[in-house]
Amino acid sequence: MPADSSAGRTQGWTTPADLRTLSLKAWSSGALLRELLDPSGAYPRRRALKRPTAAALLRDYAAARAWAAGLFDAAGPFTLETTEVGRNTIGANHLPSAVVFVSAQDEIAFAGKAGDAARFVELAEGLAGLDPMFRAWALRRPLKLLDLGADALTAGRIALWLRDNPEPGVYVRQLSLPGVHTKFIEGNRTVIDELLGTLSAETAAGDAPEAAAVLEAAVEQMAGVEQAAGVAAEAGSLLGQPSPRTPAARFAARHGFLHPPELVRFRSLDAALQLLGNARDVTVTADAFSTMTLPVTKVLITENLVNFLALPERPGTLAIYGGGYGFSSLRDAAWLRDCEVLYWGDVDTHGFQILDQLRAVHPHVVSVLMDEATLLAHRDVWGSEPAPSTAALDRLTAGEAALYEKLQNDAHGRAVRLEQELIRWDWASARLLG
């Protein structure tokens, strides 16, 4: 009858299941896979065991015996060291004191990951076959390589193409490589950038530890850039800065691809105002919008599409649809400075951050329906903001700043937000465009 592998768990003695948990932890950190490509000298690896004491043998000899039998039964991927216990009390007993994995392969097999490990080695060799420097990336991101599978090789081919074709001046759609299409690149931008980073690292191809260190620094730097850009995009779309707004646009700019221009959608609220024939709802490029001269005196900017479409008629007034954090397209529209500009955003911390950044270019913008009275009148439809902003904003009015601080400090409840589309229309229409 096989020994109970859980024997000794309640006493705190190390069981085969405990050992497997440790091995799986080493697997999940990527350490075991790295050992296959770049042995660190950690093997043979010895793991000490928590084992019965002489007093425990006296108290429950049967439990100690079952515990030891469980370890001996599990041996194979590892060998057992033993030590003598209880000579002066119950009599000499040789109990397991440590396990020893002779090689990383042995511990991988014990963790039940031999098949995955073989696939990893195959993929790493495939990448290195494209360029030896890719080996450094496989060391840095072993689990990502496994997760990507053959897609990692496709990403590697793209990285090589980008190295050999700087500033291609075409759309990503026009990149003619086997198995490569726009959606693939959009889904693997970070990996492509990381692989390209290994090719530009000034490190000897065979010096994997140094290459990995250089790559790690490059990846961390890239992650920092993307994180900063991403935060800005969610909080105002880099308004007032020349940087591209979306991750796809940043990737295109970084590698010299063309990218579709930003668009501005606007709607005349004045039936007498002619925009383009009889059209009253028009979309143009941001560049074209910046050069327009329209006979309007008031502009209302809103993020929500239905609000944009439902706004009432008003002489000399134009509505602009921001589409949620889409206001970088208004950066160069200097003619807006001659208009009264209203901004209607969500009553939450990011709504105020967008307002603050919009004022960086158009300081005269006035907020509407972003006040405490509106917030408190709609308590029944409050939501929760997933990641409230902690940014210091210095372009808010005193009232706006006070409400922003209350939202940050949870004065009305935890992470309170009021989305603009949930404001009652009678309340909104009475206060808009007055």
Side-chain angles (χ1 to χ4, degrees):
M1 181 176 180
D4 182 359
S5 62
S6 66
R9 181 170 295 171
T10 57
Q11 292 88 344
W13 307 332
T14 305
T15 67
D18 296 328
L19 292 172
R20 188 163 283 105
T21 296
L22 291 173
S23 295
L24 286 171
K25 183 178 179 180
W27 171 271
S28 297
S29 72
L32 291 179
L33 289 175
R34 292 188 188 95
E35 287 291 331
L36 299 180
L37 293 188
D38 186 32
S40 65
Y43 291 86
R45 168 170 281 166
R46 182 178 183 276
R47 294 192 189 278
L49 302 174
K50 293 180 180 179
R51 52 184 173 78
T53 62
L57 285 175
L58 276 171
R59 183 173 60 252
D60 196 342
Y61 184 84
R65 180 178 179 179
W67 168 82
L71 284 168
F72 280 112
D73 285 349
F78 57 79
T79 58
L80 281 168
E81 294 180 357
T82 61
T83 190
E84 185 180 281
V85 177
R87 172 181 289 273
N88 298 323
T89 54
I90 196 173
N93 287 267
H94 291 275
L95 298 181
S97 58
V99 300
V100 178
F101 293 99
V102 174
S103 67
Q105 289 89 336
D106 289 338
E107 187 162 7
I108 289 169
F110 179 66
K113 299 292 185 178
D116 288 338
R119 177 62 173 153
F120 166 76
V121 171
E122 179 185 358
L123 291 167
E125 290 175 349
L127 271 180
L130 295 176
D131 190 286
M133 287 297 292
F134 286 151
R135 183 172 178 272
W137 182 84
L139 281 169
R140 172 68 171 75
R141 303 272 270 153
L143 295 174
K144 184 64 176 180
L145 175 54
L146 260 182
D147 180 57
L148 286 171
D151 284 350
L153 304 182
T154 302
R157 286 192 290 271
I158 296 171
L160 289 168
W161 189 92
L162 290 173
R163 180 197 63 185
D164 298 336
N165 296 273
E167 302 296 327
V170 298
Y171 290 99
V172 169
R173 171 70 177 84
Q174 296 172 275
L175 202 164
S176 297
L177 291 174
V180 175
H181 47 80
T182 304
K183 287 186 177 180
F184 179 89
I185 293 177
E186 288 178 351
N188 294 279
R189 285 188 299 263
T190 300
V191 169
I192 293 167
D193 278 336
E194 291 176 4
L195 288 167
L196 186 59
T198 70
L199 299 174
S200 60
E202 296 180 0
T203 308
D207 197 350
E210 287 187 27
V214 171
L215 173 60
E216 184 167 359
V219 169
E220 289 176 356
Q221 181 180 20
M222 178 63 68
V225 170
E226 285 298 309
Q227 183 179 17
V231 168
E234 290 184 356
S237 301
L238 299 176
L239 187 64
Q241 301 179 23
S243 302
R245 180 166 56 90
T246 65
R250 289 194 291 273
F251 181 89
R254 191 156 56 242
H255 299 298
F257 286 106
L258 301 177
H259 192 72
E262 287 187 281
L263 301 176
V264 180
R265 181 175 178 180
F266 55 97
R267 175 174 166 262
S268 169
L269 302 184
D270 186 345
L273 176 61
Q274 294 293 312
L275 296 178
L276 186 63
N278 292 326
R280 296 184 62 184
D281 190 336
V282 179
T283 299
V284 299
T285 66
D287 286 342
F289 185 76
S290 70
T291 65
M292 298 182 74
T293 302
L294 299 175
V296 297
T297 59
K298 182 176 291 188
V299 173
L300 174 60
I301 303 170
T302 180
E303 298 177 39
N304 181 264
L305 178 59
V306 174
N307 287 345
F308 167 79
L309 295 173
L311 288 170
E313 297 284 315
R314 191 72 181 181
T317 302
L318 193 74
I320 295 177
Y321 172 48
Y325 309 127
F327 300 118
S328 62
S329 56
L330 307 181
R331 182 177 54 233
D332 300 321
W335 63 269
L336 289 175
R337 296 167 194 169
D338 298 324
C339 302
E340 180 184 356
V341 180
L342 308 178
Y343 170 64
W344 180 14
D346 294 332
V347 186
D348 61 13
T349 61
H350 285 291
F352 283 113
Q353 191 166 3
I354 293 172
L355 172 63
D356 181 84
Q357 293 197 9
L358 183 56
R359 283 181 179 151
V361 175
H362 302 295
H364 63 301
V365 169
V366 175
S367 67
V368 291
L369 296 165
M370 296 179 68
D371 52 83
E372 193 162 21
T374 297
L375 177 68
L376 296 178
H378 294 81
R379 188 183 297 268
D380 58 319
V381 291
W382 284 358
S384 179
E385 195 172 14
S389 170
T390 59
L393 307 182
D394 57 9
R395 302 183 188 94
L396 302 181
T397 66
E400 292 164 351
L403 181 52
Y404 176 66
E405 185 176 356
K406 288 181 179 180
L407 292 170
Q408 285 184 310
N409 297 333
D410 297 332
H412 294 301
R414 183 170 178 79
V416 165
R417 73 178 307 200
L418 172 60
E419 297 178 77
Q420 60 181 266
E421 58 264 38
L422 299 180
I423 295 175
R424 294 192 307 276
W425 192 248
D426 59 343
W427 179 282
S429 58
R431 291 161 176 80
L432 287 170
L433 307 171

